[in-house]
Amino acid sequence: MRPALPELPLFFRALRPRAARAFLSVLGIGAAALLVLVLLGARRSLETGVVAIAGPPDLDLWIAPRGTDNLVRASGSLPPDAPKAARAIAGVARADPVLRTFVTVEAGGRERRHATLLALGVRGPDGLAGPAHLVAGRRPSGLVEVALDRAAAFRLGVRLGDPVLAGGRPAIVVGLTRDTNLLATQVLFFDLAAVDDLEPASFVAVRLVPAADASSVARQLEGALPGTEVFTRANFVKASLKEATSGFRPLLVLVSALGLAVATALVALLLQGLVEDRRPDVAVLLAMGSPPASLAGALVAHAARLAAAGSVAGAALVPLLALALDRLAPTVELSSHVADAFVVLLLFVAAGAAGGLVPLARLLRVEPVEAFRP
């Protein structure tokens, strides 16, 4: 007859890990969680930037030259009268030209700094497709005003009100934007008044009247403007995001996957070592007749508790790290998401549970007394 299960306090006390090793394990798990969440956060920040630039909430449709479906790598231009023709379509409340180009910005005194930025020209300070989020200043208005992404301002060493040379023309920084950092480059906004009125637009941003059907208006626009394609905001954002990440998406996915795999393996090894430290106590409980299922449940509970504590600690550090980077090095942005933290928590808890069960599985294959041998 199998002996009764030992008293629960003795049972859990025997399996409780030593405080120092438990603390170090939680610390290691937290560091692993922080690493994975930083990788995922950097990837999400790029997505946030593309959505803010290509999908501002003040527009519904994008009119683009045929063959162009994104804002990142545009080619061709629209006829100068495209905005006027778009405004004549029923259901269109507003249609503004948008000029997209790349421009070299210079700043500084004797030590000049240079940055090549994605420049977007919009109509006036309230034009569609302008900067959605300003952290300081205002939208540009007139010939000599620009708004810079704050990461670009950091790279150039300029502040609000400082002079710069944008494409060889003198300008004043009147606004600093956020969520306009595409990692490889940042965005500059300028007023289309700075260029010739006859300059053909790269796109036309369209806002519809509240009751208008977007699909119907899009078909009418394509019929009225030969050689163009019309995209809903969602489709344009999707294509722009695909293009923005096409060059390094495989690298981002690979680094994120490797980081997650290495971190998961580290968690399993840490918790396996923690349970191995209590190997003699587990052997004693087995010798006293403790059911293996009960031991397994207790081990899983302890390992899961430590993995969860480390994961939560790592997730809690992400906003603090993002805040520090925001102030000290805004070129690196982190966009954390609860879903990422939840996935990391589940994976680490599962890895910890698996790591905790390995020593028990080995003990079940040998006589309990063997566990006391060095």
Side-chain angles (χ1 to χ4, degrees):
M1 180 176 180
R2 181 181 293 274
L5 182 68
E7 292 294 327
L8 288 181
L10 173 64
F11 183 72
F12 287 108
R13 187 162 54 249
L15 296 180
R16 185 183 301 125
R18 293 183 174 89
R21 293 202 61 176
F23 174 77
L24 291 176
S25 296
V26 170
L27 192 64
I29 295 168
L34 180 63
L35 169 64
V36 173
L37 291 173
V38 164
L39 291 172
L40 296 176
R43 182 181 177 186
R44 282 192 180 275
S45 71
L46 174 60
E47 298 177 359
T48 300
V50 172
V51 171
I53 297 167
D58 59 349
L59 60 86
D60 300 292
L61 299 174
W62 284 92
I63 304 175
R66 183 166 295 165
T68 297
D69 64 352
N70 68 88
L71 193 64
V72 180
R73 298 184 189 274
S75 60
S77 57
L78 297 172
D81 63 345
K84 182 179 180 180
R87 295 185 197 110
I89 300 298
V92 173
R94 184 172 177 179
D96 288 354
V98 177
L99 180 62
R100 173 211 171 274
T101 185
F102 279 93
V103 64
T104 298
V105 181
E106 302 176 53
R110 297 175 60 182
E111 296 183 1
R112 305 293 289 178
R113 296 187 180 185
H114 306 262
T116 300
L117 307 177
L118 174 63
L120 294 178
V122 298
R123 180 66 68 189
D126 61 344
L128 297 179
H133 304 120
L134 286 164
V135 294
R138 55 180 174 79
R139 290 187 175 194
S141 176
L143 299 175
V144 296
E145 295 184 351
V146 297
L148 289 178
D149 178 84
R150 63 199 181 97
F154 178 81
R155 291 173 56 193
L156 293 166
V158 299
R159 298 180 179 180
L160 207 64
D162 285 351
V164 296
L165 285 177
R169 295 184 177 185
I172 301 295
V173 179
V174 299
L176 297 177
T177 68
R178 70 176 304 129
D179 296 334
T180 48
N181 184 359
L182 302 181
L183 297 184
T185 187
Q186 289 82 42
V187 178
L188 173 148
F189 294 91
F190 64 94
D191 188 348
L192 278 179
V195 298
D196 191 338
D197 285 341
L198 296 179
E199 181 78 23
S202 306
F203 304 95
V204 173
V206 177
R207 180 192 294 165
L208 303 178
V209 298
D213 178 68
S215 300
S216 175
V217 174
R219 289 192 296 269
Q220 294 181 62
L221 287 169
E222 288 181 344
L225 295 168
T228 67
E229 292 184 74
V230 181
F231 302 92
T232 63
R233 180 175 58 192
N235 288 338
F236 197 70
V237 166
K238 182 178 179 181
S240 297
L241 182 60
K242 179 180 179 181
E243 187 61 39
T245 59
S246 62
F248 48 89
R249 176 185 289 177
L251 179 61
L252 281 175
V253 172
L254 177 63
V255 170
S256 299
L258 286 177
L260 189 59
V262 171
T264 303
L266 175 62
V267 171
L269 290 174
L270 282 173
L271 293 177
Q272 179 182 344
L274 201 63
V275 175
E276 285 278 9
D277 189 46
R278 311 301 297 181
R279 182 184 176 98
D281 300 307
V282 175
V284 168
L285 290 174
L286 286 172
M288 294 174 63
S290 297
S294 298
L295 282 174
L299 289 172
V300 168
H302 281 296
R305 190 179 300 116
L306 292 174
S311 301
V312 170
L317 289 175
V318 174
L320 298 177
L321 178 60
L323 181 61
L325 291 173
D326 184 74
R327 295 185 176 182
L328 302 176
T331 50
V332 180
E333 292 186 354
L334 299 179
S335 180
S336 57
H337 198 281
V338 175
D340 295 337
F342 186 69
V343 169
V344 169
L345 174 64
L346 289 181
L347 285 175
F348 282 12
V349 167
L357 287 176
V358 169
L360 179 62
R362 290 209 301 263
L363 280 174
L364 291 175
R365 293 197 297 266
V366 299
E367 290 297 326
V369 70
E370 295 293 327
F372 296 96
R373 294 183 179 181

